Amino acid sequence: MSLATALALNAGTPVNEMWERVREALRMQHGEAVYRSWFRALEWIGMDNGKAQLAVPTRFMREWIVSHYGADIRTMLQKERSDVLAVDIIIRAQSAPAPQAQPQAEAAAPAPAQNDAAPSEAAATIIEMNDLTMSAPLDPRYTFENFVVGKPNELAHAAARRIAEEGKVAIGCNPLFLYGGVGLGKTHLMHALAWQIKKNTPQRRVMYLSAEKFMYQFIKALRFKESFAFKETFRSVDVLMIDDVQFISGKDSTQEEFFHTFNALVDQNKQLVISGDRSPSDLEGIEERVRSRLGWGLVADVHGTNYELRLGILQSKIEQMHGVEIPQKVVEFLAHKITSNVRELEGALNRVVAHATLVGRPVTLETTQEVLSDLLRANDRRITIEDIQKKVAEHFNIKVSDMHSARRSRAVARPRQIAMFLSKRLTTKSLPEIGRRFGGKDHTTVMHAVKKVDELMGGDSEFLKDVELLTRMLQG
Ligand code: ADP
Ligand code: MG
């Protein structure tokens, strides 16, 4: 549908009232400032083949709206109109008349150097609905092309690639279990895999959903006495992906169903991909037989980021922003400072760019420090395993290298256990990750250390005081 027909079709129809309601809801939800910056200039164009068409003046606005508010907009539109399957945002031609009496001149976000766009510009589709109704939507930005590979995620990435390429169950990778802390790219990898399978082998039925959604669907099926249909749906897929499996911990009947679904699929030689925030053996509140089944195939750990990966990710995101100029100094500063996870790194970059765009000034190191002051403080305060090893070694007068050694003499082993204990207590690192950072020790060694120190603190007040003192010094 051309822009002109769309405009003609919708001028003065109730559709505009519908859109006003959606915008009002967005204003309520996100507040006046956000509304003025992003939604006031967002126009309703019309429906095209199940896709709601919206328009904005610049490419930058489009990217920002899609990445920050895309899901919200879709949900709100779907509440108003059941025929909305997806949402497209196009960049409207500067010369085209505004479809509504809208004060365009006031539209915020005067993005610099963004005069691109003809009405034919390819739209950014927010979310495609899936043919499998239970499947959750896939984010179009989460593709292999947009995934930056580095040491910390190379195994997980290689396994996902392999499954996508194979066209059938990948031997040795079934199930693939991806685990790691939040914001490190597990969901991104799973979506990328799903997209790639759809592209390579469209006949393979892929279902992706969160463990929470699995649980919800299961309970719903029970309530409406549809558990047979529920089982059939799951068992008819070729590739089942369940994200954030830790959410089924403690939910016994869901676990039971999950276990059966899981076994049925493996028996039928179907591919499974699961993610969790820790390794199968460390998942608490999950039955032993489920845990061991989860760890059957390939267990791939997505580690925390390193500097090179953070730099690569920033560079890739900046390229995707088309024409946004960021001095290399600022990029390096961000990669150096925002070490927590990729989500936060991305958020920091977006904030810096949004600020520069809104005030119409170039990005500099000074403005970056100013805009991100809260985030930078939080990242500075974060305690690392290295800090802990250094402090504990100092305190007990041993060498930092003893933290990595296998020496068992009490004078070295006890401080090492304390350092492991503090790493568990003061950082968000998983047991295997901690083990690795102590000279490649097994996660059970770390677990043992944590238990041991806990015990000693309960029985020996001098020991307790020592550990508390170290904790306070580290939190300083
Ligand atoms: P998780 O599921 O592990 O919590 P996500 O997959 O949601 O993390 O990732 C958080 C954000 O970081 C997403 O926007 C994702 O696109 C981005 N991200 C994570 N890892 C990478 C990577 N290696 N390359 C590019 N973007 C990444
Ligand atoms: Mg996730």
Side-chain angles (χ1 to χ4, degrees):
M1 172 160 47
S2 80
L3 196 60
T5 12
L7 298 184
L9 275 177
N10 289 302
T13 65
V15 147
N16 289 340
E17 282 165 33
M18 181 283 294
W19 179 235
E20 283 315 307
R21 278 197 301 277
V22 171
R23 288 210 304 182
E24 203 42 47
L26 288 167
R27 189 209 296 263
M28 297 301 286
Q29 181 165 339
H30 296 285
E32 188 63 28
V34 170
Y35 173 83
R36 281 217 219 132
S37 307
W38 308 111
F39 304 132
R40 194 162 59 179
L42 186 60
E43 290 168 356
W44 172 265
I45 303 293
M47 287 296 294
D48 183 12
N49 241 332
K51 287 185 179 173
Q53 312 269 306
L54 304 173
V56 290
T58 67
R59 188 197 292 268
F60 175 75
M61 279 186 84
R62 179 180 75 180
E63 311 274 285
W64 185 272
I65 291 171
V66 168
S67 64
H68 290 77
Y69 309 109
D72 269 3
I73 294 174
R74 181 183 59 109
T75 312
M76 284 175 185
L77 277 168
Q78 284 174 335
K79 269 194 209 142
E80 290 280 345
R81 301 182 57 135
S82 55
D83 58 337
V84 171
L85 298 180
V87 179
D88 268 358
I89 300 192
I90 60 176
I91 299 165
R92 75 168 165 257
Q94 300 296 332
S95 56
Q100 294 158 32
Q102 208 177 73
Q104 265 205 60
E106 287 175 43
Q114 310 263 333
N115 298 328
D116 51 356
S120 62
E121 165 92 37
T125 299
I126 293 179
I127 276 142
E128 294 262 345
M129 282 295 274
N130 260 284
D131 45 355
L132 293 156
T133 47
M134 252 185 233
S135 196
L138 297 174
D139 191 317
R141 294 163 306 150
Y142 291 177
T143 59
F144 280 128
E145 288 72 45
N146 290 343
F147 190 81
V148 181
V149 185
K151 259 250 154 313
N153 58 26
E154 65 181 345
L155 176 63
H157 171 261
R161 279 279 192 192
R162 165 102 182 275
I163 291 170
E165 243 75 293
E166 208 86 331
K168 54 181 186 334
V169 168
I171 296 173
C173 298
N174 199 26
L176 170 62
F177 191 96
L178 299 173
Y179 79 95
V182 297
L184 295 180
K186 300 181 297 295
T187 298
H188 187 140
L189 263 184
M190 289 174 104
H191 285 210
L193 171 55
W195 285 123
Q196 196 65 30
I197 294 175
K198 280 166 178 276
K199 199 165 124 201
N200 291 359
T201 42
Q203 71 282 7
R204 276 177 110 189
R205 289 163 64 89
V206 183
M207 190 188 286
Y208 163 88
L209 73 175
S210 65
E212 268 175 311
K213 181 125 190 242
F214 179 91
M215 210 158 69
Y216 167 77
Q217 297 286 4
F218 172 60
I219 292 166
K220 201 169 88 181
L222 283 184
R223 171 146 3 109
F224 294 101
K225 306 203 169 27
E226 287 166 349
S227 38
F228 181 74
F230 173 84
K231 288 187 172 74
E232 286 310 295
T233 312
F234 280 100
R235 290 170 198 185
S236 67
V237 303
D238 297 305
V239 183
L240 177 64
M241 305 193 188
I242 307 252
D243 206 351
D244 288 323
V245 76
Q246 69 273 9
F247 285 116
I248 65 166
S249 73
K251 318 285 189 321
D252 293 343
S253 57
T254 309
Q255 275 185 45
E256 180 78 24
E257 185 54 34
F258 178 75
F259 184 68
H260 289 308
T261 306
F262 195 101
N263 286 336
L265 288 170
V266 173
D267 287 345
Q268 292 171 42
N269 212 16
K270 304 291 180 65
Q271 178 73 51
L272 280 122
V273 182
I274 317 271
S275 85
D277 67 350
R278 61 202 86 172
S279 77
S281 55
D282 291 332
L283 285 168
E284 284 151 25
I286 292 195
E287 273 184 69
E288 175 53 32
R289 58 177 183 157
V290 179
R291 274 190 281 154
S292 70
R293 197 91 220 233
L294 287 171
W296 253 25
L298 180 68
V299 176
D301 179 352
V302 186
H303 306 188
T305 58
N306 60 19
Y307 178 73
E308 287 73 35
L309 180 61
R310 291 195 292 274
L311 210 54
I313 288 171
L314 286 169
Q315 270 148 1
S316 144
K317 306 271 167 202
I318 291 165
E319 261 165 44
Q320 288 167 44
M321 288 179 176
H322 303 291
V324 172
E325 293 277 342
I326 302 194
Q328 185 61 17
K329 249 192 355 220
V330 171
V331 179
E332 284 165 12
F333 176 77
L334 291 174
H336 184 66
K337 286 288 187 180
I338 315 287
T339 55
S340 44
N341 63 50
V342 182
R343 192 190 310 269
E344 222 169 90
L345 186 66
E346 232 177 51
L349 176 66
N350 285 340
R351 256 164 77 181
V352 170
V353 173
H355 177 264
T357 308
L358 291 173
V359 302
R361 278 202 301 268
V363 175
T364 65
L365 199 52
E366 287 69 43
T367 58
T368 302
Q369 277 166 324
E370 208 178 289
V371 173
L372 299 180
S373 60
D374 53 335
L375 196 61
L376 291 169
R377 265 200 309 277
N379 270 280
D380 278 344
R381 260 204 316 273
R382 211 158 269 144
I383 300 164
T384 66
I385 294 181
E386 285 73 47
D387 297 338
I388 295 171
Q389 291 174 332
K390 216 168 123 227
K391 195 53 109 205
V392 174
E394 232 167 59
H395 185 78
F396 289 100
N397 214 0
I398 60 172
K399 294 197 292 289
V400 174
S401 63
D402 285 331
M403 290 288 164
H404 307 265
S405 80
R407 286 179 54 200
R408 285 165 185 272
S409 76
R410 169 80 59 94
V412 181
R414 191 67 86 219
R416 194 162 56 219
Q417 286 179 325
I418 293 174
M420 286 182 186
F421 170 88
L422 290 171
S423 300
K424 183 69 201 145
R425 190 195 232 188
L426 303 175
T427 75
T428 55
K429 298 286 184 272
S430 66
L431 295 175
E433 173 81 29
I434 295 172
R436 237 190 330 270
R437 307 276 283 276
F438 280 82
K441 298 198 173 49
D442 195 70
H443 76 278
T444 52
T445 309
V446 184
M447 208 143 64
H448 174 74
V450 173
K451 270 212 196 97
K452 187 76 205 169
V453 172
D454 235 350
E455 251 170 54
L456 290 170
M457 289 198 321
D460 177 346
S461 62
E462 278 309 306
F463 187 87
L464 177 71
K465 265 194 221 139
D466 249 5
V467 177
E468 293 302 336
L469 176 68
L470 277 165
T471 305
R472 271 199 308 280
M473 286 196 308
L474 282 159
Q475 285 172 332

